[in-house]
Amino acid sequence: MSSFWPHMLFAFTTVVSAIAVVHAAMTKRDVRAAIAWVGVILFSPLFGAVIYFVVGINRIRKQKVLAQLDNMLRFEEIRDRLLVTAVAPFSAPQFAAQKKLGDTVNRFQLLGYNQISMILSGDEAYSRMISVIEGAQRSIAVQSYIFDHDKVGIRIAQALIDAKGRGVEVRVLIDSVGSKYSRPTITKMLEQGGVKVALFMTTFFGLRLAYANLRCHRKLMIIDGVHALTGGMNIRQEFSATVMGVEAMQDTHFDVRGPVVHQLMLSFAQDWSFTTGESLTGEPWFFSNEALIPDQGVPVRCVPSAPDDMSLSSNHSILLGALSAARHHVRIQSPYFLPDTQMLAALSTAARRGVVVDIVVPGANNLKMVGAAMMAQLDQVLEPGCRVWRASGTFDHSKLCAIDSAWSYIGSSNIDPRSLRLNFELDLEIFDQGLAKKIEERIDSVIASAEPITLELIEGQAFLTRLRNKIAWLFSPYL
């Protein structure tokens, strides 16, 4: 019998590899991802198939997510007066088609009567978080990729525990990978304080894998169903100048009131239900009171994107549409700027049409491999005429986009394959001249002290540096 085991192993390997190849070919939407996985499987028999089955399969239960959304949408009562049919009074005529695109690729409608203000530092954001937690009367929903057990995290966790103690319903959802950026994790403190905590999609063996797929990158705090804080800010002391001094990192967050908060709460409720099985419906989570709707405000829609059939690449489609509508000026700030082929083409086409395209990237990146890959790709936007700026100072985690002083896009999404295809992200699309101009001013203030990155600068790098960057760039689809 022992003489047959090589043949049995060969047959088993062939069958397993064939199943993996068929699965990759039939389920992957990105042809590059399909080709890459087929190559790994074929050129590394058995081991390649095992790797694919462990990390290459999207295990999101699509039908369950869709069913949960259908149930929750029954609680969304939107009055006709809240729906925005024309964006020209608030934005610019060229974005009328952009509104229609959003209606098509995103499940949420554009709602008026929202108020949004920008928060420009970690200290201001964390102080605002503690203030709104202390003022909560009915419910608090918190969602974050990273929630560290440090000076900032402990302050916010204690405020949540105190809120729970006075009878407020509290739910905290942290990404499984992001929860492990500090030891001990903050979850133990919250659970001991009576707060319900859940971790979104644990990784293989529960490890903190920095480049693991299907991460929940959303950052959100909702108070009483009517007031939200959202944007790019994780909960960690690295963004607090009070704690870190001049070494504090930079970021931007937003304070949101109005009907769009209902959409943000629906997004959280879906993620919470998917993770825990508990449905958050009605009061205290969804508070319907017409008196709480601002008398005036701007059109905003919530844009959740995720690697499932319901919202795959919603953020990608909306950004591509906005770039095609641009007529005068595009400003983008992204800490991890690794656009895919379609995004590169949209940026290049805009520049060739005469649109001024300014792209701001960090001077010092906290992810060295991503920083190297970014440098290897920048020539593809510089050659058609885009301008790229390397920010001075400490690492800036802001994710901002403003076009023609009339349209803006904010939230958790980076301009990279992970945010645009592999992660769960949460953004806001805003049709308002006032906020767009404020975001432009914020980006322009960074450009004022930034260093321009030119083709000459890239070509003048040492050969080994350019080779290192290109090798890092080969892994960009999964960085």
Side-chain angles (χ1 to χ4, degrees):
M1 182 68 180
S2 60
S3 61
F4 291 101
W5 75 262
H7 305 285
M8 296 172 63
L9 179 61
F10 174 77
F12 176 76
T13 300
T14 300
V15 171
V16 171
S17 297
I19 293 172
V21 166
V22 170
H23 189 277
M26 295 298 292
T27 60
K28 296 299 178 185
R29 296 192 176 201
D30 189 323
V31 66
R32 295 171 301 171
I35 292 173
W37 277 117
V38 169
V40 168
I41 295 165
L42 293 181
F43 288 102
S44 182
L46 188 57
F47 294 105
V50 170
I51 293 171
Y52 174 74
F53 287 128
V54 171
V55 302
I57 297 178
N58 182 350
R59 293 180 171 82
I60 302 300
R61 290 169 289 180
K62 302 172 184 178
Q63 296 304 320
K64 181 178 179 181
V65 171
L66 287 169
Q68 291 168 355
L69 178 66
D70 288 341
N71 288 333
M72 285 185 289
L73 284 178
R74 295 193 186 104
F75 294 94
E76 187 174 21
E77 298 176 357
I78 302 175
R79 298 181 186 276
D80 290 340
R81 75 179 186 89
L82 300 181
L83 297 177
V84 177
T85 57
V87 301
F90 306 94
S91 180
Q94 67 265 33
F95 291 106
Q98 178 69 15
K99 186 263 180 189
K100 184 176 181 180
L101 170 68
D103 293 341
T104 304
V105 303
N106 181 59
R107 64 178 182 264
F108 288 127
Q109 296 172 300
L110 187 65
L111 302 180
Y113 298 94
N114 299 284
Q115 296 178 346
I116 301 182
S117 59
M118 189 158 45
I119 304 172
L120 296 175
S121 71
D123 283 326
E124 184 184 353
Y126 300 139
S127 295
R128 190 82 58 92
M129 289 180 189
I130 292 173
S131 176
V132 298
I133 291 171
E134 291 175 345
Q137 299 178 10
R138 294 178 298 275
S139 64
I140 304 171
V142 179
Q143 185 170 21
S144 186
Y145 174 61
I146 299 174
F147 192 151
D148 274 348
H149 189 276
D150 56 19
K151 292 181 179 179
V152 167
I154 290 171
R155 286 175 57 209
I156 293 175
Q158 188 58 55
L160 292 169
I161 292 169
D162 293 343
K164 174 64 179 176
R166 63 176 188 269
V168 177
E169 289 288 333
V170 182
R171 301 291 187 275
V172 178
L173 181 59
I174 312 170
D175 183 78
S176 176
V177 171
S179 70
K180 300 177 177 66
Y181 274 72
S182 62
R183 295 289 184 180
T185 64
I186 200 69
T187 56
K188 186 175 182 181
M189 176 182 174
L190 289 166
E191 289 170 344
Q192 289 177 342
V195 173
K196 290 187 178 181
V197 186
L199 298 181
F200 187 90
M201 291 188 66
T202 56
T203 56
F204 189 53
F205 292 137
L207 298 175
R208 196 198 98 184
L209 305 175
Y211 296 107
N213 294 340
L214 308 180
R215 304 326 317 152
C216 192
H217 198 235
R218 297 166 177 169
K219 292 96 174 176
L220 180 63
M221 180 178 290
I222 302 176
I223 305 299
D224 295 336
V226 298
H227 184 191
L229 301 175
T230 189
M233 196 84 66
N234 288 300
I235 301 175
R236 57 189 331 202
Q237 67 183 26
E238 276 76 5
F239 295 93
S240 169
T242 302
V243 178
M244 303 299 296
V246 296
E247 296 181 357
M249 298 178 182
Q250 306 299 313
D251 208 339
T252 310
H253 219 54
F254 293 84
D255 188 301
V256 183
R257 296 176 185 269
V260 75
V261 176
H262 190 86
Q263 296 179 348
L264 292 169
M265 188 61 219
L266 279 171
S267 174
F268 177 88
Q270 178 191 335
D271 289 344
W272 183 262
S273 179
F274 173 77
T275 304
T276 69
E278 179 189 13
S279 295
L280 305 179
T281 57
E283 293 189 26
W285 304 102
F286 297 91
F287 192 71
S288 178
N289 187 336
E290 189 173 359
L292 296 176
I293 298 174
D295 293 332
Q296 57 185 357
V298 301
V300 183
R301 85 164 88 237
C302 173
V303 184
S305 56
D308 58 59
D309 284 343
M310 183 172 52
S311 51
L312 180 65
S313 299
S314 294
N315 50 5
H316 189 259
S317 297
I318 285 177
L319 285 169
L320 289 178
L323 289 172
S324 69
R327 294 185 181 178
H328 307 293
H329 202 148
V330 172
R331 291 173 177 86
I332 293 173
Q333 183 171 6
S334 179
Y336 314 119
F337 182 75
L338 288 169
D340 61 9
T341 302
Q342 293 171 298
M343 193 69 69
L344 283 169
L347 290 165
S348 299
T349 300
R352 289 180 172 130
R353 288 193 288 111
V355 177
V356 178
V357 179
D358 282 310
I359 301 163
V360 179
V361 298
N365 204 300
N366 67 332
L367 299 178
K368 301 300 183 184
M369 191 170 181
V370 174
M374 285 169 52
M375 288 299 294
Q377 195 178 25
L378 289 179
D379 60 328
Q380 297 185 55
V381 292
L382 288 169
E383 287 176 351
C386 297
R387 304 189 303 196
V388 182
W389 307 89
R390 182 157 49 196
S392 61
T394 57
F395 175 66
D396 197 327
H397 192 246
S398 300
K399 310 148 197 311
L400 304 169
C401 178
I403 298 179
D404 291 348
S405 300
W407 180 94
S408 52
Y409 196 76
I410 61 174
S412 67
S413 292
N414 299 304
I415 309 295
D416 67 0
R418 184 165 296 279
S419 279
L420 300 177
R421 186 164 56 90
L422 298 174
N423 280 348
F424 293 76
E425 304 286 356
L426 185 66
D427 304 313
L428 294 177
E429 183 185 24
I430 306 151
F431 294 79
D432 175 57
Q433 297 178 17
L435 185 64
K437 290 176 181 177
K438 290 180 180 178
I439 291 174
E440 290 174 345
E441 290 171 359
R442 202 281 189 191
I443 296 175
D444 286 344
S445 69
V446 176
I447 291 175
S449 60
E451 173 194 6
I453 298 178
T454 63
L455 287 171
E456 292 75 19
L457 187 149
I458 293 175
E459 293 168 357
Q461 293 176 316
F463 172 77
L464 290 179
T465 299
R466 287 186 284 120
L467 178 61
R468 178 205 64 188
N469 294 348
K470 284 296 184 182
I471 292 173
W473 175 70
L474 295 176
F475 296 91
S476 61
Y478 292 96
L479 290 180

